């Protein structure tokens, strides 16, 4: 939540900051601002609303001069979206400006402390406290003042700080909130995420918690919280700038849906060799794997839904009990964890705060942590005992698509890897799943060809107020994701139910014309799925069914609309079935005129609790 960017170099900073913010806008978009140093003074411009409002106000950056600056795009936590609550927040002398992603938990006490000393506050934000506190401690050395402040603030934060009295530098700080540094020839960057700077440099440093960095044109020096210099290594980002651009698509979401076949290829192909799953640099020994007694899968949002599918598949393959728990619940539970408990943490961003907290809680209890993460070098990846990357490339649309598919594929590969070590899956089935995984990318291409059919179906249903998803077992897990996709981007009320629960309440909501999406790809339970379809139909529902090609003829007898996926191993059906549900949500949202890539109130990376 919130995107921050900072630049120090020899070119005008404001246009570079605006461009960086445009790439971070997915992180928050209720207001934006920049602060630029022109050698003497700090120039600040902020505006409520989308970044466009700010860009127009400062003529795309031409109206503000200076080569050092910071920028921010906000997802409001403390104080409603407004010009005054927008960042940068500035100290009362107007000399120190701060951009912040995260939450300062003890801001109220610090505010009281400063107010008792005569400091007036202009905004309702927690961030202003940081700017004012730095000024309070400032005695001609910004780095010293920032270090003092860090020992007093609590919470999660990444900060970009400038001071008019030290106009050649930027300061960056990180604790429990993402921040990377970009190393260039004659310039340096700080940013919440690599997409903001990839156009300028691929050389990055990943900051660790508690570190402070001083950025100048000539380079970056990182310190620990006691101001001892820290040696950092420079990593090279290996994806192309086009990966973070729309490339002719109207929305990032559609582009990312269409990228799924390739993303699956990258996630699967390098990990299957000679009919066997190979996980390079994998941190769990065979001996440890043989001693696993219990698996928790911990995640939020769509990553949690991947975990739901994972539970069914891992239990089937391994015969080890698997519990899927929302990270926000896990962190406050009293989970039964031993050294033989494996916690699988799933996160696209690798920065979701609840997931991070759950990871730390599990680690504290002695569990081994394996994470499935997309963003290389992210906090979750770095704090895990071992990581499997999804290699899906940057995902920009708030509603995740290709990250979901690749997480699922990686989890299935992991299941196969464990199953081989444990001898729990008959060889024939092992080979069937391997072959099915290898076919998945091209089958996904085939599924995506149904775009026109889905567009047509969306035109039939886009004006419904309420849409239900039903399914059993893996189909229920898939329905949860289909329903989430729909509600997050189209704002249609939607819920997913395990079909068996229909009669325990939900069926009372079915009336003439209610749309029920029946997910029926799990052929073992197809007859049960059909019975539920008949039940809701007889109460007036319209049924849109998602099933496999060989069951289409049976389903057509009852359903009003039908979407099919090709035959694959039953465990992999959610991997194919998710694509039509993503497209359905996309086209329904498009027809309703919604802001698909930036749905209201949401942010891609949820770095607050
Ligand atoms: C946000 C995003 C979701 C995502 C969830 C978990 O809510 O909008 O798409 O599934 O966070 O994010 P993570 O990065 O941990 O997978």
């Amino acid at each position: 939540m919130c995107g921050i960017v900072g630049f120090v170099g020899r070119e005008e900073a404001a246009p570079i900051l605006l461009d960086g913010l445009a790439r971070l806008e997915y992180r928050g978009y209720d207001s934006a601002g920049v602060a630029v140093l022109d050698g003497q003074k700090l120039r600040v411009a902020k505006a409520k609303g989308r970044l466009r409002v700010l860009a127009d106000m400062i003529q795309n950056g031409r109206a503000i001069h200076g080569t050092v600056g910071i920028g921010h795009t906000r997802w409001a936590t403390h104080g409603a979206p407004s010009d005054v609550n927008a960042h940068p927040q500035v100290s009362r002398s107007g000399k120190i400006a701060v951009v912040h992603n995260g939450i300062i938990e003890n801001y109220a006490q610090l505010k009281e402390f400063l107010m008792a000393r005569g400091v007036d506050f202009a905004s309702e934000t927690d961030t202003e406290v940081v700017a004012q506190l730095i000024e309070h401690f400032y005695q001609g050395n910004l780095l010293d003042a920032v270090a003092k402040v860090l020992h007093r603030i609590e919470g999660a934060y990444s900060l970009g700080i400038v001071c008019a009295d030290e106009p050649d530098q930027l300061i960056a700080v990180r604790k429990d909130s993402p921040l990377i540094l970009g190393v260039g020839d004659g310039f340096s960057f700080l940013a919440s995420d690599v997409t903001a700077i990839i156009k300028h440099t691929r050389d990055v440093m990943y900051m660790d918690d508690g570190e402070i960095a001083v950025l100048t044109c000539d380079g970056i020096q990182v310190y620990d919280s006691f101001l001892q210099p820290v040696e950092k290594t420079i990593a090279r980002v290996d994806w192309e700038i086009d990966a973070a651009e729309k490339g002719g698509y109207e929305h990032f979401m559609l582009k990312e849906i269409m990228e799924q076949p390739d993303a699956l290829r990258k996630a699967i192909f390098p990990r299957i060799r000679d009919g066997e799953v190979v996980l390079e640099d994998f941190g769990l020994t065979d001996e440890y794997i043989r001693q696993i007694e219990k698996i928790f899968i911990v995640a939020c949002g769509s990553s949690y839904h991947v975990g739901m599918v994972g539970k069914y598949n891992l239990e089937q393959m391994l015969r080890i009990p698997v519990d899927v728990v929302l990270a926000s619940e896990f962190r406050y539970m009293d989970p039964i964890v031993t050294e033989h408990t494996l916690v699988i943490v799933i996160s696209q961003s690798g920065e979701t705060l609840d997931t991070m907290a759950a990871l730390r809680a599990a680690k504290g209890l002695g569990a081994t942590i394996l994470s499935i993460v997309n963003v290389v070098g992210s906090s979750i990846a770095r704090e895990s005992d071992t990581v499997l990357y999804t290699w899906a490339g940057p995902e920009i649309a708030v509603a995740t698509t290709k990250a979901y598919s690749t997480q699922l594929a990686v989890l299935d590969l992991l299941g196969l890897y464990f199953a081989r070590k444990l001898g729990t899956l008959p060889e024939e089935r092992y080979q069937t799943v391997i072959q099915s995984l290898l076919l998945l990318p091209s089958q996904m291409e085939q599924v995506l060809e149904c775009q026109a059919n889905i567009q047509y179906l969306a035109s039939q249903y886009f004006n419904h107020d309420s849409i239900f998803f039903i399914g059993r077992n893996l189909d229920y897990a898939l329905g949860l994701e289909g329903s989430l996709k729909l509600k997050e981007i189209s704002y249609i009320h939607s819920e997913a139910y395990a079909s068996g629960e229909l009669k325990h309440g939900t069926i009372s909501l079915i009336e003439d014309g209610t749309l029920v999406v029946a997910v029926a790809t799990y052929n073992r339970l197809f007859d049960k799925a059909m019975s539920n379809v008949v039940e809701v139909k007889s109460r007036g529902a319209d049924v849109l069914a998602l099933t496999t090609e060989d069951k289409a003829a049976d389903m057509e007898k009852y359903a009003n609309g039908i979407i099919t996926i090709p035959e694959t191993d039953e465990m992999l059906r959610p991997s194919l079935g998710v694509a039509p549900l993503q497209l359905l949500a996309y086209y329904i949202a498009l027809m309703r005129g919604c802001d698909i890539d930036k749905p209201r109130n949401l942010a891609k990376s949820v770095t607050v609790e």
Side-chain angles (χ1 to χ4, degrees):
M1 324 210 111
C2 300
I4 71 176
V5 63
F7 170 79
V8 45
R10 301 195 172 96
E11 289 170 64
E12 289 286 353
I16 293 174
L17 294 173
L18 286 177
D19 181 68
L21 290 178
R23 295 167 198 282
L24 294 175
E25 220 187 349
Y26 71 89
R27 302 179 67 88
Y29 29 85
D30 58 45
S31 50
V34 292
V36 174
L37 289 169
D38 70 359
Q40 290 160 343
K41 282 199 127 167
L42 188 64
R43 313 269 169 200
V44 180
K46 332 193 267 183
K48 179 182 166 186
R50 293 287 165 94
L51 183 63
R52 191 69 256 152
V53 182
L54 173 73
D56 288 346
M57 193 169 109
I58 58 173
Q59 297 163 31
N60 293 320
R62 289 190 304 277
I64 295 192
H65 299 290
T67 58
V68 180
I70 49 180
H72 189 266
T73 175
R74 181 167 185 244
W75 189 90
T77 56
H78 293 61
S82 68
D83 291 355
V84 76
N85 287 336
H87 298 202
Q89 287 292 322
V90 179
S91 65
R92 73 176 158 165
S93 69
K95 285 190 173 178
I96 292 167
V98 175
V99 286
H100 167 212
N101 172 25
I103 286 183
I104 308 297
E105 285 166 1
N106 60 338
Y107 87 102
Q109 295 97 296
L110 294 170
K111 194 167 181 175
E112 245 173 61
F113 165 85
L114 289 165
M115 286 173 82
R117 282 154 186 79
V119 179
D120 292 330
F121 281 79
S123 78
E124 297 156 83
T125 62
D126 51 341
T127 309
E128 189 182 352
V129 171
V130 179
Q132 304 283 21
L133 204 57
I134 295 174
E135 181 153 294
H136 174 79
F137 288 117
Y138 187 70
Q139 289 177 330
N141 185 324
L142 184 61
L143 181 60
D144 281 345
V146 170
K148 285 192 179 119
V149 167
L150 296 191
H151 290 292
R152 285 163 178 84
I153 56 177
E154 289 163 18
Y157 44 83
S158 51
L159 303 167
I161 305 159
V162 287
C163 173
D165 290 345
E166 298 177 44
D168 301 324
Q169 66 174 32
L170 284 179
I171 288 194
V173 176
R174 175 205 158 115
K175 184 180 164 274
D176 294 337
S177 188
L179 195 64
I180 54 144
L181 304 173
V183 183
D185 187 8
F187 63 87
S188 306
F189 274 98
L190 64 87
S192 299
D193 158 340
V194 98
T195 49
I197 61 170
I198 184 82
K199 198 168 158 184
H200 307 277
T201 179
R202 288 159 176 278
D203 292 334
V204 300
M205 288 179 191
Y206 297 108
M207 286 184 81
D208 286 308
D209 279 346
E211 288 181 343
I212 312 173
V214 177
L215 289 73
T216 66
C217 291
D218 302 321
I220 300 177
Q221 177 61 56
V222 179
Y223 299 91
D224 68 15
S225 57
F226 299 100
L227 296 187
Q228 294 304 306
V230 179
E231 278 301 313
K232 302 292 286 186
T233 49
I234 295 180
R236 198 152 170 84
V237 176
D238 64 0
W239 45 264
E240 301 297 325
I241 176 79
D242 327 352
E245 302 202 325
K246 280 191 200 153
Y249 285 96
E250 196 179 344
H251 296 99
F252 278 111
M253 183 176 177
L254 186 58
K255 176 180 178 241
E256 288 159 6
I257 290 173
M258 294 303 173
E259 281 172 351
Q260 289 179 111
D262 268 347
L264 285 172
R265 276 186 193 102
K266 286 188 191 133
I268 297 171
F269 288 3
R271 290 175 167 135
I272 296 182
R273 269 182 240 147
D274 302 327
E276 189 167 9
V277 177
V278 178
L279 300 178
E280 266 170 11
D281 300 324
F282 192 56
L284 305 185
T285 62
D286 292 0
E287 194 193 344
Y288 172 79
I289 295 167
R290 280 193 291 271
Q291 289 178 2
I292 299 172
E293 288 169 357
K294 163 91 191 177
I295 297 175
F296 278 109
I297 302 181
V298 176
C300 299
S302 296
S303 299
Y304 169 78
H305 294 157
V306 169
M308 292 285 289
V309 176
K311 174 187 164 64
Y312 292 113
N313 287 353
L314 293 183
E315 286 188 341
Q316 198 184 127
M317 286 193 261
L318 310 178
R319 307 314 296 155
I320 295 176
V322 180
D323 267 359
V324 197
V325 189
L326 289 165
S328 52
E329 291 295 317
F330 187 91
R331 60 184 293 196
Y332 298 118
M333 281 176 17
D334 191 3
I336 301 168
V337 168
T338 70
E339 56 182 320
H340 302 303
T341 307
L342 174 67
V343 174
I344 302 177
V345 169
I346 308 178
S347 174
Q348 186 282 130
S349 62
E351 301 291 349
T352 303
L353 189 100
D354 281 324
T355 311
M356 187 70 211
L359 179 160
R360 288 181 180 161
K363 218 174 174 178
L365 292 168
T368 297
I369 314 291
L370 181 162
S371 61
I372 298 178
V373 172
N374 192 35
V375 178
V376 176
S378 56
S379 307
I380 289 175
R382 282 184 296 152
E383 292 200 22
S384 301
D385 295 300
T386 190
V387 190
L388 291 172
Y389 284 110
T390 44
W391 299 326
E395 196 183 59
I396 310 291
V398 167
T400 183
T401 51
K402 62 178 178 171
Y404 175 97
S405 316
T406 50
Q407 286 167 348
L408 208 46
V410 170
L411 202 51
D412 289 329
L413 285 163
L414 179 72
L416 287 172
Y417 182 82
F418 281 179
R420 192 24 91 84
K421 307 279 174 203
L422 300 173
T424 45
L425 199 63
E427 182 59 22
E428 202 184 321
R429 182 79 197 284
Y430 180 88
Q431 285 307 329
T432 310
V433 184
I434 291 267
Q435 293 314 316
S436 306
L437 272 166
L438 289 170
L439 276 179
L440 213 52
S442 54
Q443 288 186 315
M444 175 68 104
E445 260 158 16
Q446 202 184 322
V447 171
L448 291 170
E449 282 166 15
C450 70
Q451 218 180 334
N453 176 34
I454 307 262
Q455 211 168 346
Y456 167 75
L457 292 168
S459 72
Q460 307 294 295
Y461 299 115
F462 76 95
N463 54 4
H464 277 56
D465 295 331
S466 189
I467 299 180
F468 295 96
F469 286 70
I470 57 169
R472 284 172 197 262
N473 197 282
L474 286 172
D475 287 332
Y476 168 51
L478 176 56
L480 286 168
E481 177 61 6
S483 170
L484 177 64
K485 266 323 62 122
L486 182 76
K487 73 184 118 194
E488 52 182 353
I489 59 169
S490 73
Y491 317 139
I492 294 176
H493 167 253
S494 173
E495 289 179 52
Y497 283 95
S499 309
E501 280 296 291
L502 267 178
K503 293 192 195 72
H504 298 292
T506 320
I507 204 154
S508 64
L509 298 172
I510 307 292
E511 47 190 42
D512 268 353
T514 304
L515 180 62
V516 174
V517 179
V519 185
T521 68
Y522 194 61
N523 292 357
R524 280 201 241 180
L525 299 174
F526 185 77
D527 292 344
K528 305 246 175 244
M530 282 293 277
S531 311
N532 293 123
V533 166
V534 174
E535 273 163 19
V536 294
K537 280 282 297 182
S538 60
R539 282 155 182 86
D542 274 2
V543 173
L544 183 56
L546 172 67
T547 191
T548 50
E549 278 161 4
D550 57 330
K551 295 288 183 190
D554 288 343
M555 190 53 99
E556 258 161 13
K557 291 182 201 142
Y558 300 97
N560 303 70
I562 197 151
I563 305 167
T564 57
I565 56 166
E567 209 30 75
T568 180
D569 186 272
E570 63 179 20
M571 287 197 288
L572 306 188
R573 289 192 196 132
S575 292
L576 292 179
V578 75
L581 299 183
Q582 295 164 344
L583 284 170
L584 183 70
Y586 175 80
Y587 283 115
I588 287 182
L590 190 70
M591 286 165 199
R592 289 167 75 94
C594 298
D595 193 347
I596 293 178
D597 286 337
K598 299 189 188 92
R600 72 183 177 211
N601 302 338
L602 298 179
K604 184 146 192 78
S605 171
V606 181
T607 53
V608 295
E609 193 172 351

